Amino acid sequence: MLRPKDIYAYIRDYDRPAQNRHFIMMTSLSFITLSIIFVWDIFIGETWIKLGGLILTLIALAVAVVLALRTQRIQLIAGIICFAMIVFTLPVEFFTGGGVYGCTPIWYAFAFMYIGTSVRGKIKYVLLGANGLSAITCYIVASLNPWLLTAHDMQTAYLDSVASLIGVGVMLYMMVDIMSRLHQHQNELASAQRAQIEELNRAQNRFFSSMSHEIRTPINTIIGLNEMTLREEISDEVAENARNISAASRILLTTINDILDLSKIESGKMELVPVIYDLGEMLSELVAMIWIRAKDKDLAFHVNVDQSCPARLYGDEVRIKQVLINILNNAVKYTSKGSVTLSIQCTRLEGRKVRMVYTVEDTGMGIRKESIPHLFSAFKRVDEDKNRYIEGTGLGLSIVKQFVDLMGGTVSVNSVYTKGSTFIIELPQEMADDAEIGTLDLETRHGGAAREHYRQSFEAPKAHVLIVDDNDTNLLVESKLLRATKVQIDTVQSGAEALQMTLKTHYDVILMDHLMPGMDGIECLHAIRGQVGGLCTETPTVALTANAGSENQALYSREGFDGYLLKPVNGEQLESELIRLLPRELVKITGDLEMSGADDVKVGHRNRRVPIQITTETICDLPKKELEHRGIPTLPCRVQTDHGWFLDREEIETDGLISYMETGRHALTAEPELSSYETFFAEQLTKAQNIIHIAGSSRVSRGYEKACEAAANFDNVTIVDSGQISGGMGILVLEAYRLSQEENTPQAVIRRLEEFKPRVSMSYIVASTEYLLRAGRIKRQIHTLADTFLVHPQVEMTEGEMRVSHLWIGSKEHAWKSYLKSVLRHAETIDTSVAYLVCSGISLEESEEIQREVTRLVMFDRIVVQKVSPAISSNCGPGCFGIVIKRKERNSA
């Protein structure tokens, strides 16, 4: 049995959609109001027709509330009620309640409010329109048939109108008030949820920070003791095992950093810490970490460095290293055979700014085209079925994207599934000085399989160092790492013990852990600085901690620490920090780490990748020498004869194809296959950072469509619809090449190329329409008429389409002259630097005569004559030629 309190509970159930609550509330209010009006109508003596309509309406509303509560099909019921109200209740009320002189217009206005707040989706607008149409229909019918109206006397009309006005007004007020209260409650609920989410984020950050600290502490022991093992005279097998432990530990640290950094990025607390760093040293550390994993999988690992790169840069070295480690780890992880290659290039910008380009190529499984958009999503692993046996968190590439964006750079991926991937990271940096890296010899820095022969970098037997750490193992590791320097070391496990030691002994440097029970490192530092009678109030103190992050580094600097070392720490870092802080008179420099025997990592200095490579197809009809001189590669189209498929210009030539077609046989032309585009782009990206491919008009062939489909595999390939074929396409290719030498980005080149497009004029005249008929370009009836009346069509490229602009009647020679005169009129608008004549089946004498006629009409600086490609000639046949010109810019015309 449904009780009133059940309805009230439903209305106050704020977990339900607000739209549904509004429906229940307004339907209930309508029920109450109509009940009151029903009683009033009985009192004033309304007609039984109207009273019957009100009774049916009240019953319908009551049933609606019950059904809505029990079935939860709120929107369906709301729609039915509104429909019934529009087609039955309101029209009946209109005609029985005095029409325009009664209260119905007020109820029509109420219906708009009821529908607008109770119904969702497109049906709401249908019902609103139906309500307006119902009202208009009632008005028109009543005006044409006044006898349909039930007349009211003036007193009844006034009473009825007042009752409806007050009833609807009260209902509207109550609706608005309740909706306002609900909205306020929702805002309060949202604020509480937001506060709860923020608290959860803070708890998550605390957890990640604590986890990072707790994991770094034992790793510090592993790496430190492992380094001590490598310093000893041990067998090659043990040494290799130790190096593997070191590399694996650092990979584990990278994963920990990824988790911690993702948390910081999501909370908006990640900050960059730019420093001056040595590019060669950074690369040597990367090589030392990656080569072991590559060697375990029998992969070749290549490093190619542009010798003109700056030797020292200013940027966040830690984050750059983290980005490259993640990309390289990914490449090794998903490559089962072949190689992984890291290439570094640099482009000088304004002032001391440079753009560093890091390229990582692999010969692995590649990435599916549909997976590329999800590649940089956190915890998302693409092609999960195939990669389920490959370990990984799914965090690496997400971290890469976040860091690169934070540093103002870009990351892109080019991949052909099953054929490997290429990741390109571009980062803006500043040069610390003008020195170039030159020939980089990583083997002399950190060779891949190098056997380390340790020699301490300094000795300081009279120096006193205090190490404060609550972990026994950390004290052991750090003491052993400094043992060869002959520094006198004292160790304590708490801040209180440290204060006792600083009262008795003067220390030249103090290494202080942060998180310790009782007095932490920061409190201990302040106590030492203000210690009455203390001997170390001015002693340099270094925070030696497992608390990672730039905010922690900044914290220690603010609190007065003189340095910061992050666990796990190695001997080189400890020695470097002590050399910096110990008094000069106590330190004797003895040497540095020396390496020998490294030959597993191949370091090269191959040619630079060009920033922007222009590519096109063979139907551009440019002379081979011009293409080769500019280094513009072309992808051949295909030509089909009775003997099979042939590659345009590579396996078939124009003259041979024309001779073949003059025997009455057919030839068809097709764009390159999709796989050819993919292979072509992948090959060109080994020589270029970005590709701009100029395709033939999308309205003439499917080449543009296929090129775009292939380019979806590559972030660095952009396809341009030239809107042209043949020489018109060729002029755009040359302009694109010129712009690529002036601009730094593909976007700038394409923008200026689009502005240039309208200046290109391409047309040609056909000697016979027979070949257009064979190619399916015209109908047989048109060919018959043209052949009968010696008609020579002039075809122009207009808005990417081939359109017949003129029909020249008469001999071939007469038609040619008329065509040239038509094209070269308005000579003042023509750019006379160069004109291209593209021809098919034209003799040398005819070619020379055409050039003389062109020169007579317009004096060009240069006229280039080029045979069209076989793919073009199969459509136009012999005796066809065209002229391609550039119009002057408007402001110079």
Side-chain angles (χ1 to χ4, degrees):
M1 180 76 181
L2 194 67
R3 295 166 296 179
K5 68 177 184 179
D6 297 327
I7 298 176
Y8 179 76
Y10 183 91
I11 294 173
R12 292 304 307 269
D13 185 357
Y14 291 102
D15 290 333
R16 298 183 186 275
Q19 194 86 5
N20 296 347
R21 293 198 304 274
H22 295 165
F23 166 73
I24 296 296
M25 286 185 297
M26 284 188 282
T27 304
S28 302
L29 287 171
S30 301
F31 178 84
I32 295 168
T33 306
L34 286 174
S35 298
I36 296 170
I37 292 175
F38 174 67
V39 174
W40 176 260
D41 283 344
I42 293 176
F43 175 75
I44 65 175
E46 278 288 0
T47 64
W48 285 106
I49 297 177
K50 181 176 179 181
L51 293 175
L54 277 173
I55 291 170
L56 290 175
T57 302
L58 290 171
I59 294 171
L61 288 173
V63 171
V65 172
V66 173
L67 288 176
L69 288 171
R70 290 189 171 177
T71 67
Q72 296 299 307
R73 304 190 69 176
I74 303 293
Q75 288 303 299
L76 176 62
I77 294 170
I80 293 172
I81 288 177
C82 292
F83 181 77
M85 180 169 57
I86 291 168
V87 302
F88 174 72
T89 304
L90 292 179
V92 168
E93 171 68 19
F94 183 87
F95 286 102
T96 61
V100 295
Y101 302 105
C103 62
T104 311
I106 299 175
W107 285 102
Y108 268 113
F110 168 76
F112 279 110
M113 175 77 171
Y114 183 84
I115 294 169
T117 55
S118 299
V119 185
R120 288 199 300 266
K122 295 180 180 179
I123 189 65
K124 174 171 70 175
Y125 301 102
V126 173
L127 291 172
L128 288 172
N131 187 54
L133 183 63
S134 173
I136 293 171
T137 302
C138 288
Y139 273 71
I140 293 173
V141 171
S143 66
L144 297 177
N145 303 280
W147 56 271
L148 292 175
L149 295 172
T150 300
H152 276 194
D153 57 54
M154 191 61 67
Q155 182 180 4
T156 302
Y158 275 119
L159 291 173
D160 195 18
S161 178
V162 168
S164 297
L165 179 64
I166 295 173
V168 171
V170 170
M171 282 181 63
L172 291 177
Y173 166 76
M174 292 177 68
M175 289 178 184
V176 172
D177 182 65
I178 292 175
M179 285 190 291
S180 176
R181 291 172 183 271
L182 287 174
H183 180 68
Q184 182 179 355
H185 182 82
Q186 289 291 331
N187 285 341
E188 293 172 355
L189 186 62
S191 298
Q193 289 175 339
R194 186 162 52 248
Q196 185 178 11
I197 291 171
E198 290 174 356
E199 178 57 33
L200 287 173
N201 283 334
R202 285 193 291 270
Q204 174 185 275
N205 292 339
R206 288 194 297 270
F207 169 75
F208 284 142
S209 179
S210 175
M211 182 188 70
S212 172
H213 182 277
E214 294 304 316
I215 294 178
R216 283 176 181 276
T217 299
I219 290 181
N220 183 54
T221 303
I222 295 170
I223 292 179
L225 294 179
N226 188 67
E227 183 176 336
M228 295 305 300
T229 301
L230 284 169
R231 293 182 184 183
E232 303 298 330
E233 292 297 329
I234 53 179
S235 67
D236 290 341
E237 182 180 358
V238 174
E240 183 178 358
N241 291 340
R243 284 193 298 272
N244 288 340
I245 291 172
S246 178
S249 299
R250 296 193 182 280
I251 294 297
L252 176 58
L253 275 179
T254 301
T255 304
I256 295 169
N257 288 338
D258 286 347
I259 297 172
L260 186 60
D261 289 339
L262 182 67
S263 171
K264 291 179 183 177
I265 290 170
E266 289 178 345
S267 62
K269 295 180 180 179
M270 176 57 68
E271 296 179 359
L272 298 177
V273 183
V275 296
I276 294 175
Y277 65 94
D278 187 291
L279 179 61
E281 290 292 341
M282 184 188 78
L283 293 177
S284 67
E285 289 183 33
L286 288 174
V287 169
M289 293 177 65
I290 299 301
W291 82 271
I292 293 178
R293 301 197 71 187
K295 184 181 178 184
D296 287 344
K297 298 184 69 174
D298 292 325
L299 300 176
F301 182 33
H302 306 288
V303 181
N304 297 308
V305 185
D306 180 1
Q307 298 184 33
S308 65
C309 287
R312 299 171 74 236
L313 293 163
Y314 180 74
D316 193 330
E317 178 191 13
V318 173
R319 303 309 173 201
I320 295 172
K321 200 186 308 180
Q322 201 168 341
V323 164
L324 295 176
I325 288 172
N326 273 307
I327 294 289
L328 287 166
N329 274 337
N330 230 49
V332 173
K333 186 187 303 179
Y334 291 99
T335 302
S336 56
K337 61 180 180 179
S339 64
V340 174
T341 302
L342 170 64
S343 302
I344 300 95
Q345 283 187 217
C346 153
T347 301
R348 305 288 174 117
L349 304 176
E350 296 179 359
R352 305 194 66 79
K353 296 184 180 298
V354 295
R355 183 171 66 245
M356 298 300 298
V357 182
Y358 303 92
T359 306
V360 177
E361 302 170 77
D362 65 63
T363 57
M365 62 181 66
I367 306 165
R368 293 183 187 274
K369 188 189 319 179
E370 59 271 19
S371 297
I372 289 178
H374 309 291
L375 203 58
F376 298 102
S377 300
F379 305 107
K380 174 82 173 178
R381 301 186 71 197
V382 299
D383 209 358
E384 189 70 44
D385 291 340
K386 190 167 183 177
N387 299 330
R388 63 185 182 276
Y389 298 116
I390 299 178
E391 298 176 352
T393 62
L395 276 179
L397 292 182
S398 175
I399 290 291
V400 165
K401 174 67 173 170
Q402 302 270 18
F403 278 154
V404 169
D405 288 346
L406 198 60
M407 291 185 280
T410 60
V411 57
S412 54
V413 58
N414 305 307
S415 183
V416 178
Y417 191 54
T418 74
K419 295 183 180 179
S421 305
T422 301
F423 285 82
I424 301 172
I425 301 101
E426 299 187 23
L427 296 174
Q429 300 279 278
E430 291 185 23
M431 296 187 297
D433 52 47
D434 296 325
E436 296 183 349
I437 198 168
T439 302
L440 181 62
D441 187 5
L442 293 180
E443 288 88 345
T444 63
R445 297 171 181 257
H446 289 282
R451 176 64 181 274
E452 300 186 6
H453 298 289
Y454 171 75
R455 183 184 177 191
Q456 68 275 23
S457 57
F458 76 96
E459 290 181 356
K462 295 183 179 180
H464 286 75
V465 173
L466 176 64
I467 305 177
V468 187
D469 198 312
D470 62 313
N471 188 290
D472 285 335
T473 310
N474 284 342
L475 293 174
L476 174 66
V477 168
E478 289 143 13
S479 299
K480 283 191 172 186
L481 288 175
L482 292 173
R483 183 171 58 192
T485 64
K486 300 181 181 179
V487 170
Q488 298 179 47
I489 298 173
D490 290 330
T491 61
V492 294
Q493 291 185 296
S494 68
E497 293 179 39
L499 289 173
Q500 293 175 11
M501 297 296 291
T502 55
L503 277 172
K504 299 183 295 184
T505 307
H506 169 74
Y507 292 102
D508 299 296
V509 172
I510 298 175
L511 302 177
M512 180 82 71
D513 187 21
H514 177 195
L515 298 180
M516 297 182 291
M519 183 185 298
D520 67 23
I522 294 176
E523 294 170 339
C524 184
L525 172 67
H526 293 164
I528 290 173
R529 291 282 191 258
Q531 190 178 35
V532 177
L535 302 177
C536 300
T537 55
E538 302 295 330
T539 297
T541 304
V542 177
L544 179 55
T545 176
N547 288 341
S550 56
E551 71 281 2
N552 284 318
Q553 188 172 352
L555 168 67
Y556 298 133
S557 177
R558 289 196 306 270
E559 296 294 343
F561 283 92
D562 300 282
Y564 169 78
L565 287 175
L566 179 63
K567 297 175 186 176
V569 66
N570 58 38
E572 183 181 355
Q573 292 171 323
L574 282 172
E575 291 180 15
S576 176
E577 195 71 0
L578 289 183
I579 289 175
R580 184 176 71 86
L581 296 175
L582 284 174
R584 291 284 181 264
E585 64 275 10
L586 299 180
V587 177
K588 178 185 177 183
I589 303 298
T590 59
D592 203 344
L593 297 180
E594 296 178 356
M595 306 288 183
S596 62
D599 58 3
D600 286 349
V601 181
K602 296 178 175 59
V603 182
H605 300 276
R606 69 182 182 188
N607 294 333
R608 288 170 53 90
R609 292 175 187 243
V610 296
I612 302 173
Q613 174 70 66
I614 305 300
T615 65
T616 188
E617 295 152 21
T618 50
I619 58 171
C620 70
D621 290 339
L622 286 173
K624 186 176 180 180
K625 286 185 177 179
E626 292 208 21
L627 291 169
E628 290 178 347
H629 175 69
R630 293 169 174 82
I632 301 174
T634 57
L635 180 63
C637 294
R638 296 176 295 151
V639 178
Q640 185 184 34
T641 69
D642 292 342
H643 303 291
W645 286 99
F646 298 90
L647 294 180
D648 190 39
R649 287 199 184 276
E650 291 186 7
E651 299 174 343
I652 192 170
E653 286 297 335
T654 303
D655 292 341
L657 182 63
I658 288 177
S659 299
Y660 168 84
M661 291 191 299
E662 285 179 334
T663 63
R665 290 179 287 185
H666 294 271
L668 298 176
T669 301
E671 63 282 344
E673 294 180 302
L674 178 62
S675 59
S676 299
Y677 279 109
E678 291 176 343
T679 303
F680 179 70
F681 292 150
E683 180 184 351
Q684 298 309 315
L685 282 169
T686 64
K687 309 167 189 174
Q689 297 171 21
N690 298 279
I691 290 176
I692 298 177
H693 182 78
I694 312 298
S697 174
S698 60
R699 298 188 177 185
V700 175
S701 77
R702 292 185 62 242
Y704 173 77
E705 179 185 338
K706 283 190 175 180
C708 289
E709 186 177 352
N713 292 303
F714 310 94
D715 282 347
N716 297 69
V717 177
T718 306
I719 311 300
V720 175
D721 183 355
S722 67
Q724 298 282 347
I725 59 169
S726 189
M729 184 176 165
I731 280 191
L732 279 171
V733 170
L734 295 178
E735 180 66 13
Y737 173 81
R738 185 186 71 81
L739 294 174
S740 71
Q741 306 304 300
E742 297 179 1
E743 300 288 352
N744 291 322
T745 64
Q747 293 78 11
V749 172
I750 292 169
R751 177 180 52 79
R752 292 180 61 184
L753 193 63
E754 291 295 329
E755 295 171 356
F756 176 78
K757 273 186 184 181
R759 295 176 53 197
V760 179
S761 174
M762 161 68 190
S763 62
Y764 62 92
I765 186 170
V766 180
S768 170
T769 57
E770 179 182 354
Y771 296 94
L772 292 175
L773 174 66
R774 292 184 188 178
R777 301 292 182 186
I778 61 172
K779 296 181 179 179
R780 179 167 293 279
Q781 296 88 330
I782 296 176
H783 164 64
T784 302
L785 288 172
D787 194 47
T788 301
F789 294 102
L790 296 177
V791 173
H792 305 277
Q794 175 182 327
V795 180
E796 290 186 1
M797 293 299 300
T798 306
E799 296 180 352
E801 292 184 337
M802 299 169 58
R803 296 177 182 173
V804 175
S805 59
H806 293 84
L807 296 174
W808 303 109
I809 301 175
S811 66
K812 180 175 68 175
E813 291 75 14
H814 173 75
W816 285 358
K817 289 184 179 181
S818 300
Y819 159 66
L820 290 174
K821 190 178 296 184
S822 170
V823 172
L824 297 177
R825 68 184 185 275
H826 306 304
E828 69 280 0
T829 67
I830 297 174
D831 183 338
T832 58
S833 59
V834 63
Y836 284 86
L837 293 177
V838 288
C839 53
S840 172
I842 301 290
S843 67
L844 179 62
E845 292 77 13
E846 289 173 330
S847 171
E848 291 174 348
E849 178 59 31
I850 291 171
Q851 291 181 63
R852 283 193 291 271
E853 182 65 17
V854 169
T855 303
R856 186 182 69 80
L857 294 170
V858 177
M859 184 62 69
F860 287 96
D861 298 339
R862 187 165 65 103
I863 298 177
V864 179
V865 181
Q866 173 65 19
K867 289 182 183 178
V868 299
S869 67
I872 297 293
S873 66
S874 67
N875 289 279
C876 61
C880 169
F881 84 92
I883 184 167
V884 187
I885 58 175
K886 295 185 291 184
R887 298 290 177 182
K888 292 179 180 178
E889 294 185 64
R890 290 184 179 180
N891 56 4
S892 61

